[in-house]
Amino acid sequence: MYLRWLGLWLLVSLVGCSTMLGRYYLASEQYEDGVRHFDQEVRAHPDDPAANYYLGRFYLAEEKPEQALPFLRRAAELEPRRAEYCFWLGVGHWAVRDFEAERTSYLRALAADPDYIPARLYLGHNFLDGGRPEMALRQYEKVLGLDPYNPEALYNRGLALNESRRVTEAVDAWNGYVKYYPDGKWALRAVDHLNELGDFSYRNFAIGYRRVPLEAIAFAPGSTKAISRGEFSLEVIGSILKINEEIKLEIVAYVRGNAPQATARAGAVRDWLLTSFPTIHSSRLKARGEGNAETIETGNRVYLLDESVSFVTTKK
């Protein structure tokens, strides 16, 4: 503890500014200490923009936006050309559901710095929440022009396109999101959106106790062995099975009107997993083929997939 605080004291004394200490408290999630310190700073120096800003940030971190707003507002008044201060004032307004003031704050931030990505991104969120998807879309596309792989912009661009009834583009957007970010809750939600729109390039499966987004398994036309798409998904499944030896899976392949081909494809997927992951015992994987289309219910719709591969966790 002594060395940590000695290092912090040296850092602040050398830098000589509130900003470094504020960042330290935020990074270490010491919000109460941050409030305590910057409350004293603001009392001693009420016109210090950084002290006001960080006191507001720490109140926000403690989920006290009403207490945060006066200090965030004061910081933005003292340094109106500081995009960061205007942006966080907008976040404070969002937290108290004053969405018009939120939007105004983001616009002020962008007037100070048109390339300030957080403000442009959150302005898009504000428009989207306010039922203005086309205006949101313009903001997300500007963000992606600055940061092509920004995950929030990629995902929410799909929402904005879908709400604008540009369904084909929304499908492309969400497929792009899952391609770059294939795991996590937003990937799961993107896949749910895709499936609701009738696109099954990706699907969510329960592998053990975990719901996993996976690229759909596909075979070369007419083939029973040549997997043409989805080997990365099999790598993911194999890795999960390797880690958790309690999981058993049934592999179900569907080929409408051709049960023998479906059975062969299910066996090919099983063989791929057993060959690639030799520590997985064969008793943990069953394979079954169906000569009918797979029925999938999602949202308020029912879809039939003439050819597909599904995975079902079975009890031990």
Side-chain angles (χ1 to χ4, degrees), residues 136-182:
L137 181 61
R138 286 197 285 273
Q139 300 306 318
Y140 295 139
E141 290 180 341
K142 287 181 180 179
V143 170
L144 293 171
L146 298 167
D147 179 9
Y149 302 104
N150 185 286
E152 284 189 68
L154 285 171
Y155 177 86
N156 284 282
R157 181 173 178 270
L159 288 177
L161 285 164
N162 192 42
E163 291 188 18
S164 300
R165 301 186 184 281
R166 296 162 63 176
V167 175
T168 300
E169 294 172 84
V171 166
D172 290 341
W174 278 318
N175 269 304
Y177 176 86
V178 182
K179 176 182 177 182
Y180 296 125
Y181 301 98

Short mmCIF file of all heavy atoms in Angstrom, two decimals, residues 136-182:
data_model
loop_
_atom_site.label_atom_id
_atom_site.label_comp_id
_atom_site.label_asym_id
_atom_site.label_seq_id
_atom_site.Cartn_x
_atom_site.Cartn_y
_atom_site.Cartn_z
N ALA A 136 -29.68 8.87 -37.06
CA ALA A 136 -28.74 8.03 -36.31
C ALA A 136 -27.76 7.36 -37.26
O ALA A 136 -26.55 7.29 -36.99
CB ALA A 136 -29.50 6.98 -35.50
N LEU A 137 -28.27 6.85 -38.36
CA LEU A 137 -27.44 6.15 -39.34
C LEU A 137 -26.31 7.04 -39.84
O LEU A 137 -25.16 6.59 -39.97
CB LEU A 137 -28.31 5.67 -40.50
CG LEU A 137 -27.61 4.88 -41.61
CD1 LEU A 137 -27.01 3.61 -41.05
CD2 LEU A 137 -28.61 4.56 -42.71
N ARG A 138 -26.61 8.30 -40.09
CA ARG A 138 -25.56 9.21 -40.57
C ARG A 138 -24.45 9.36 -39.55
O ARG A 138 -23.26 9.43 -39.91
CB ARG A 138 -26.18 10.58 -40.90
CG ARG A 138 -26.99 10.57 -42.19
CD ARG A 138 -27.21 11.99 -42.70
NE ARG A 138 -28.20 12.71 -41.92
CZ ARG A 138 -29.51 12.66 -42.15
NH1 ARG A 138 -29.99 11.93 -43.14
NH2 ARG A 138 -30.35 13.36 -41.39
N GLN A 139 -24.82 9.39 -38.28
CA GLN A 139 -23.79 9.52 -37.24
C GLN A 139 -22.95 8.25 -37.15
O GLN A 139 -21.72 8.32 -37.03
CB GLN A 139 -24.44 9.84 -35.90
CG GLN A 139 -25.22 11.14 -35.87
CD GLN A 139 -24.42 12.33 -36.32
OE1 GLN A 139 -23.25 12.48 -35.96
NE2 GLN A 139 -25.03 13.21 -37.12
N TYR A 140 -23.59 7.08 -37.20
CA TYR A 140 -22.84 5.84 -37.12
C TYR A 140 -21.88 5.69 -38.31
O TYR A 140 -20.75 5.21 -38.16
CB TYR A 140 -23.79 4.64 -37.06
CG TYR A 140 -24.64 4.60 -35.81
CD1 TYR A 140 -25.99 4.24 -35.87
CD2 TYR A 140 -24.12 4.94 -34.57
CE1 TYR A 140 -26.78 4.21 -34.72
CE2 TYR A 140 -24.89 4.92 -33.42
CZ TYR A 140 -26.23 4.55 -33.51
OH TYR A 140 -27.00 4.53 -32.37
N GLU A 141 -22.33 6.12 -39.48
CA GLU A 141 -21.46 6.01 -40.65
C GLU A 141 -20.28 6.97 -40.56
O GLU A 141 -19.17 6.65 -41.01
CB GLU A 141 -22.28 6.22 -41.92
CG GLU A 141 -23.23 5.03 -42.17
CD GLU A 141 -24.07 5.18 -43.41
OE1 GLU A 141 -24.21 6.33 -43.90
OE2 GLU A 141 -24.61 4.16 -43.89
N LYS A 142 -20.49 8.13 -39.94
CA LYS A 142 -19.36 9.04 -39.72
C LYS A 142 -18.37 8.45 -38.72
O LYS A 142 -17.16 8.60 -38.88
CB LYS A 142 -19.88 10.40 -39.23
CG LYS A 142 -20.57 11.21 -40.32
CD LYS A 142 -21.04 12.56 -39.79
CE LYS A 142 -21.73 13.37 -40.89
NZ LYS A 142 -22.21 14.67 -40.39
N VAL A 143 -18.90 7.78 -37.69
CA VAL A 143 -18.01 7.11 -36.74
C VAL A 143 -17.18 6.05 -37.46
O VAL A 143 -15.95 5.96 -37.27
CB VAL A 143 -18.82 6.47 -35.59
CG1 VAL A 143 -17.91 5.57 -34.74
CG2 VAL A 143 -19.45 7.53 -34.72
N LEU A 144 -17.83 5.26 -38.30
CA LEU A 144 -17.12 4.19 -39.01
C LEU A 144 -16.12 4.75 -40.02
O LEU A 144 -15.14 4.08 -40.35
CB LEU A 144 -18.11 3.25 -39.68
CG LEU A 144 -18.98 2.45 -38.70
CD1 LEU A 144 -20.09 1.72 -39.44
CD2 LEU A 144 -18.12 1.46 -37.91
N GLY A 145 -16.36 5.95 -40.50
CA GLY A 145 -15.37 6.59 -41.34
C GLY A 145 -14.10 6.93 -40.58
O GLY A 145 -13.00 6.95 -41.16
N LEU A 146 -14.23 7.17 -39.28
CA LEU A 146 -13.07 7.45 -38.42
C LEU A 146 -12.50 6.20 -37.80
O LEU A 146 -11.28 6.09 -37.57
CB LEU A 146 -13.50 8.42 -37.31
CG LEU A 146 -13.98 9.81 -37.76
CD1 LEU A 146 -14.66 10.52 -36.59
CD2 LEU A 146 -12.82 10.64 -38.27
N ASP A 147 -13.37 5.24 -37.50
CA ASP A 147 -12.97 4.00 -36.82
C ASP A 147 -13.77 2.85 -37.43
O ASP A 147 -14.86 2.51 -36.95
CB ASP A 147 -13.26 4.13 -35.32
CG ASP A 147 -12.91 2.88 -34.53
OD1 ASP A 147 -12.29 1.96 -35.11
OD2 ASP A 147 -13.26 2.81 -33.34
N PRO A 148 -13.27 2.23 -38.51
CA PRO A 148 -14.06 1.26 -39.29
C PRO A 148 -14.51 0.03 -38.50
O PRO A 148 -15.46 -0.64 -38.93
CB PRO A 148 -13.10 0.85 -40.41
CG PRO A 148 -12.14 1.98 -40.53
CD PRO A 148 -11.97 2.50 -39.13
N TYR A 149 -13.88 -0.26 -37.36
CA TYR A 149 -14.24 -1.46 -36.61
C TYR A 149 -14.87 -1.13 -35.26
O TYR A 149 -14.87 -1.96 -34.35
CB TYR A 149 -13.00 -2.35 -36.42
CG TYR A 149 -12.37 -2.75 -37.72
CD1 TYR A 149 -11.20 -2.14 -38.17
CD2 TYR A 149 -12.97 -3.72 -38.53
CE1 TYR A 149 -10.63 -2.49 -39.39
CE2 TYR A 149 -12.41 -4.07 -39.75
CZ TYR A 149 -11.25 -3.46 -40.17
OH TYR A 149 -10.70 -3.81 -41.38
N ASN A 150 -15.40 0.07 -35.14
CA ASN A 150 -16.03 0.46 -33.87
C ASN A 150 -17.23 -0.45 -33.61
O ASN A 150 -18.20 -0.44 -34.38
CB ASN A 150 -16.48 1.92 -33.94
CG ASN A 150 -17.04 2.41 -32.63
OD1 ASN A 150 -18.15 2.06 -32.25
ND2 ASN A 150 -16.28 3.21 -31.92
N PRO A 151 -17.22 -1.26 -32.55
CA PRO A 151 -18.28 -2.26 -32.36
C PRO A 151 -19.66 -1.67 -32.15
O PRO A 151 -20.65 -2.19 -32.68
CB PRO A 151 -17.81 -3.07 -31.14
CG PRO A 151 -16.85 -2.17 -30.43
CD PRO A 151 -16.19 -1.34 -31.49
N GLU A 152 -19.76 -0.58 -31.38
CA GLU A 152 -21.08 0.01 -31.14
C GLU A 152 -21.68 0.57 -32.41
O GLU A 152 -22.88 0.42 -32.68
CB GLU A 152 -20.98 1.11 -30.08
CG GLU A 152 -20.83 0.62 -28.66
CD GLU A 152 -20.95 1.75 -27.66
OE1 GLU A 152 -22.06 2.30 -27.52
OE2 GLU A 152 -19.94 2.08 -27.03
N ALA A 153 -20.85 1.21 -33.22
CA ALA A 153 -21.36 1.77 -34.47
C ALA A 153 -21.76 0.67 -35.44
O ALA A 153 -22.78 0.77 -36.13
CB ALA A 153 -20.31 2.69 -35.10
N LEU A 154 -20.97 -0.40 -35.51
CA LEU A 154 -21.30 -1.51 -36.40
C LEU A 154 -22.64 -2.15 -36.01
O LEU A 154 -23.49 -2.41 -36.87
CB LEU A 154 -20.20 -2.57 -36.37
CG LEU A 154 -18.90 -2.23 -37.10
CD1 LEU A 154 -17.82 -3.27 -36.77
CD2 LEU A 154 -19.11 -2.16 -38.61
N TYR A 155 -22.81 -2.42 -34.73
CA TYR A 155 -24.03 -3.08 -34.28
C TYR A 155 -25.24 -2.15 -34.44
O TYR A 155 -26.28 -2.55 -35.00
CB TYR A 155 -23.90 -3.50 -32.81
CG TYR A 155 -25.16 -4.12 -32.26
CD1 TYR A 155 -25.41 -5.48 -32.42
CD2 TYR A 155 -26.12 -3.35 -31.62
CE1 TYR A 155 -26.58 -6.05 -31.93
CE2 TYR A 155 -27.29 -3.90 -31.14
CZ TYR A 155 -27.52 -5.25 -31.30
OH TYR A 155 -28.68 -5.81 -30.83
N ASN A 156 -25.12 -0.92 -33.97
CA ASN A 156 -26.26 -0.01 -34.00
C ASN A 156 -26.58 0.47 -35.40
O ASN A 156 -27.72 0.87 -35.68
CB ASN A 156 -26.01 1.16 -33.05
CG ASN A 156 -26.20 0.78 -31.61
OD1 ASN A 156 -27.31 0.67 -31.12
ND2 ASN A 156 -25.09 0.54 -30.92
N ARG A 157 -25.63 0.42 -36.30
CA ARG A 157 -25.92 0.71 -37.70
C ARG A 157 -26.96 -0.28 -38.21
O ARG A 157 -27.88 0.09 -38.96
CB ARG A 157 -24.65 0.64 -38.54
CG ARG A 157 -24.85 0.97 -40.01
CD ARG A 157 -23.53 1.06 -40.74
NE ARG A 157 -23.75 1.32 -42.16
CZ ARG A 157 -23.91 0.38 -43.08
NH1 ARG A 157 -23.84 -0.91 -42.71
NH2 ARG A 157 -24.12 0.68 -44.34
N GLY A 158 -26.85 -1.54 -37.80
CA GLY A 158 -27.85 -2.53 -38.18
C GLY A 158 -29.22 -2.17 -37.64
O GLY A 158 -30.23 -2.29 -38.35
N LEU A 159 -29.29 -1.72 -36.39
CA LEU A 159 -30.57 -1.31 -35.81
C LEU A 159 -31.17 -0.15 -36.59
O LEU A 159 -32.37 -0.14 -36.90
CB LEU A 159 -30.38 -0.90 -34.35
CG LEU A 159 -30.10 -1.99 -33.32
CD1 LEU A 159 -29.88 -1.36 -31.96
CD2 LEU A 159 -31.23 -3.00 -33.25
N ALA A 160 -30.34 0.85 -36.90
CA ALA A 160 -30.84 2.03 -37.61
C ALA A 160 -31.34 1.66 -39.00
O ALA A 160 -32.39 2.15 -39.45
CB ALA A 160 -29.75 3.09 -37.69
N LEU A 161 -30.62 0.79 -39.70
CA LEU A 161 -31.05 0.36 -41.03
C LEU A 161 -32.36 -0.43 -40.96
O LEU A 161 -33.26 -0.23 -41.77
CB LEU A 161 -29.96 -0.50 -41.67
CG LEU A 161 -28.73 0.26 -42.18
CD1 LEU A 161 -27.57 -0.70 -42.43
CD2 LEU A 161 -29.05 1.04 -43.45
N ASN A 162 -32.46 -1.30 -39.97
CA ASN A 162 -33.68 -2.11 -39.83
C ASN A 162 -34.88 -1.22 -39.52
O ASN A 162 -35.97 -1.40 -40.08
CB ASN A 162 -33.49 -3.16 -38.74
CG ASN A 162 -34.59 -4.20 -38.74
OD1 ASN A 162 -35.02 -4.67 -39.81
ND2 ASN A 162 -35.05 -4.58 -37.57
N GLU A 163 -34.68 -0.25 -38.61
CA GLU A 163 -35.79 0.63 -38.27
C GLU A 163 -36.14 1.56 -39.43
O GLU A 163 -37.25 2.10 -39.48
CB GLU A 163 -35.44 1.44 -37.02
CG GLU A 163 -35.39 0.57 -35.77
CD GLU A 163 -35.25 1.36 -34.48
OE1 GLU A 163 -35.53 2.59 -34.51
OE2 GLU A 163 -34.87 0.77 -33.45
N SER A 164 -35.20 1.74 -40.35
CA SER A 164 -35.48 2.52 -41.55
C SER A 164 -36.06 1.66 -42.67
O SER A 164 -36.22 2.13 -43.79
CB SER A 164 -34.19 3.20 -42.05
OG SER A 164 -33.66 4.07 -41.08
N ARG A 165 -36.34 0.40 -42.35
CA ARG A 165 -36.90 -0.57 -43.30
C ARG A 165 -35.96 -0.86 -44.46
O ARG A 165 -36.39 -1.20 -45.56
CB ARG A 165 -38.27 -0.10 -43.81
CG ARG A 165 -39.29 0.10 -42.69
CD ARG A 165 -40.67 0.43 -43.22
NE ARG A 165 -41.62 0.71 -42.15
CZ ARG A 165 -42.23 -0.20 -41.41
NH1 ARG A 165 -41.99 -1.48 -41.64
NH2 ARG A 165 -43.07 0.15 -40.45
N ARG A 166 -34.68 -0.75 -44.21
CA ARG A 166 -33.66 -1.11 -45.21
C ARG A 166 -33.10 -2.47 -44.78
O ARG A 166 -31.98 -2.60 -44.31
CB ARG A 166 -32.59 -0.02 -45.27
CG ARG A 166 -33.17 1.31 -45.76
CD ARG A 166 -32.30 2.51 -45.46
NE ARG A 166 -31.00 2.46 -46.11
CZ ARG A 166 -30.11 3.46 -46.05
NH1 ARG A 166 -30.41 4.56 -45.35
NH2 ARG A 166 -28.95 3.35 -46.65
N VAL A 167 -33.95 -3.48 -44.94
CA VAL A 167 -33.71 -4.79 -44.33
C VAL A 167 -32.48 -5.47 -44.91
O VAL A 167 -31.66 -6.04 -44.17
CB VAL A 167 -34.96 -5.70 -44.49
CG1 VAL A 167 -34.67 -7.09 -43.96
CG2 VAL A 167 -36.15 -5.08 -43.74
N THR A 168 -32.32 -5.44 -46.22
CA THR A 168 -31.15 -6.10 -46.83
C THR A 168 -29.86 -5.51 -46.31
O THR A 168 -28.90 -6.25 -46.00
CB THR A 168 -31.21 -5.97 -48.36
OG1 THR A 168 -32.42 -6.58 -48.84
CG2 THR A 168 -30.03 -6.66 -49.01
N GLU A 169 -29.81 -4.18 -46.18
CA GLU A 169 -28.61 -3.54 -45.66
C GLU A 169 -28.42 -3.86 -44.18
O GLU A 169 -27.27 -3.98 -43.71
CB GLU A 169 -28.70 -2.03 -45.87
CG GLU A 169 -28.67 -1.61 -47.33
CD GLU A 169 -28.96 -0.12 -47.48
OE1 GLU A 169 -28.01 0.68 -47.36
OE2 GLU A 169 -30.13 0.22 -47.72
N ALA A 170 -29.51 -3.98 -43.43
CA ALA A 170 -29.41 -4.34 -42.01
C ALA A 170 -28.81 -5.72 -41.86
O ALA A 170 -27.95 -5.95 -40.99
CB ALA A 170 -30.78 -4.27 -41.35
N VAL A 171 -29.23 -6.66 -42.71
CA VAL A 171 -28.68 -8.02 -42.67
C VAL A 171 -27.18 -7.97 -42.95
O VAL A 171 -26.38 -8.62 -42.25
CB VAL A 171 -29.41 -8.92 -43.70
CG1 VAL A 171 -28.63 -10.21 -43.92
CG2 VAL A 171 -30.82 -9.22 -43.21
N ASP A 172 -26.77 -7.21 -43.94
CA ASP A 172 -25.34 -7.09 -44.24
C ASP A 172 -24.58 -6.49 -43.07
O ASP A 172 -23.46 -6.92 -42.74
CB ASP A 172 -25.13 -6.23 -45.49
CG ASP A 172 -25.60 -6.92 -46.77
OD1 ASP A 172 -25.74 -8.16 -46.75
OD2 ASP A 172 -25.81 -6.21 -47.77
N ALA A 173 -25.20 -5.50 -42.41
CA ALA A 173 -24.53 -4.83 -41.29
C ALA A 173 -24.32 -5.80 -40.14
O ALA A 173 -23.23 -5.84 -39.54
CB ALA A 173 -25.36 -3.63 -40.84
N TRP A 174 -25.35 -6.55 -39.79
CA TRP A 174 -25.21 -7.47 -38.66
C TRP A 174 -24.30 -8.65 -38.99
O TRP A 174 -23.57 -9.13 -38.12
CB TRP A 174 -26.58 -7.95 -38.19
CG TRP A 174 -27.23 -6.94 -37.27
CD1 TRP A 174 -26.63 -6.24 -36.26
CD2 TRP A 174 -28.60 -6.54 -37.28
NE1 TRP A 174 -27.55 -5.42 -35.64
CE2 TRP A 174 -28.76 -5.58 -36.23
CE3 TRP A 174 -29.71 -6.89 -38.04
CZ2 TRP A 174 -29.98 -4.98 -35.95
CZ3 TRP A 174 -30.94 -6.30 -37.76
CH2 TRP A 174 -31.06 -5.35 -36.73
N ASN A 175 -24.32 -9.10 -40.23
CA ASN A 175 -23.35 -10.13 -40.63
C ASN A 175 -21.92 -9.60 -40.49
O ASN A 175 -21.02 -10.31 -40.04
CB ASN A 175 -23.60 -10.57 -42.06
CG ASN A 175 -24.55 -11.76 -42.15
OD1 ASN A 175 -24.32 -12.81 -41.56
ND2 ASN A 175 -25.63 -11.60 -42.90
N GLY A 176 -21.73 -8.34 -40.85
CA GLY A 176 -20.42 -7.73 -40.69
C GLY A 176 -20.01 -7.62 -39.25
O GLY A 176 -18.85 -7.88 -38.88
N TYR A 177 -20.97 -7.27 -38.38
CA TYR A 177 -20.65 -7.18 -36.95
C TYR A 177 -20.18 -8.53 -36.41
O TYR A 177 -19.15 -8.62 -35.74
CB TYR A 177 -21.86 -6.69 -36.15
CG TYR A 177 -21.57 -6.67 -34.67
CD1 TYR A 177 -20.96 -5.57 -34.08
CD2 TYR A 177 -21.85 -7.78 -33.87
CE1 TYR A 177 -20.64 -5.56 -32.74
CE2 TYR A 177 -21.53 -7.77 -32.52
CZ TYR A 177 -20.93 -6.67 -31.96
OH TYR A 177 -20.59 -6.68 -30.63
N VAL A 178 -20.93 -9.59 -36.70
CA VAL A 178 -20.60 -10.90 -36.15
C VAL A 178 -19.28 -11.42 -36.74
O VAL A 178 -18.53 -12.13 -36.08
CB VAL A 178 -21.74 -11.91 -36.39
CG1 VAL A 178 -21.40 -13.26 -35.76
CG2 VAL A 178 -23.05 -11.39 -35.80
N LYS A 179 -19.00 -11.04 -37.97
CA LYS A 179 -17.72 -11.44 -38.57
C LYS A 179 -16.55 -10.89 -37.77
O LYS A 179 -15.56 -11.60 -37.52
CB LYS A 179 -17.66 -10.92 -40.01
CG LYS A 179 -16.33 -11.21 -40.71
CD LYS A 179 -16.32 -10.63 -42.11
CE LYS A 179 -14.97 -10.85 -42.79
NZ LYS A 179 -14.94 -10.25 -44.15
N TYR A 180 -16.65 -9.63 -37.34
CA TYR A 180 -15.54 -9.00 -36.61
C TYR A 180 -15.61 -9.27 -35.11
O TYR A 180 -14.57 -9.29 -34.44
CB TYR A 180 -15.54 -7.50 -36.86
CG TYR A 180 -15.28 -7.12 -38.30
CD1 TYR A 180 -16.16 -6.31 -39.00
CD2 TYR A 180 -14.14 -7.57 -38.95
CE1 TYR A 180 -15.92 -5.96 -40.32
CE2 TYR A 180 -13.90 -7.23 -40.28
CZ TYR A 180 -14.79 -6.42 -40.95
OH TYR A 180 -14.54 -6.08 -42.26
N TYR A 181 -16.81 -9.46 -34.58
CA TYR A 181 -17.00 -9.67 -33.13
C TYR A 181 -17.89 -10.89 -32.93
O TYR A 181 -19.09 -10.76 -32.66
CB TYR A 181 -17.61 -8.42 -32.49
CG TYR A 181 -16.75 -7.19 -32.68
CD1 TYR A 181 -17.02 -6.27 -33.68
CD2 TYR A 181 -15.64 -6.97 -31.87
CE1 TYR A 181 -16.22 -5.16 -33.88
CE2 TYR A 181 -14.82 -5.87 -32.06
CZ TYR A 181 -15.12 -4.96 -33.06
OH TYR A 181 -14.31 -3.86 -33.25
N PRO A 182 -17.31 -12.09 -33.07
CA PRO A 182 -18.12 -13.32 -33.10
C PRO A 182 -18.54 -13.86 -31.74
O PRO A 182 -19.16 -14.92 -31.68
CB PRO A 182 -17.19 -14.32 -33.80
CG PRO A 182 -15.80 -13.86 -33.43
CD PRO A 182 -15.89 -12.36 -33.36
#
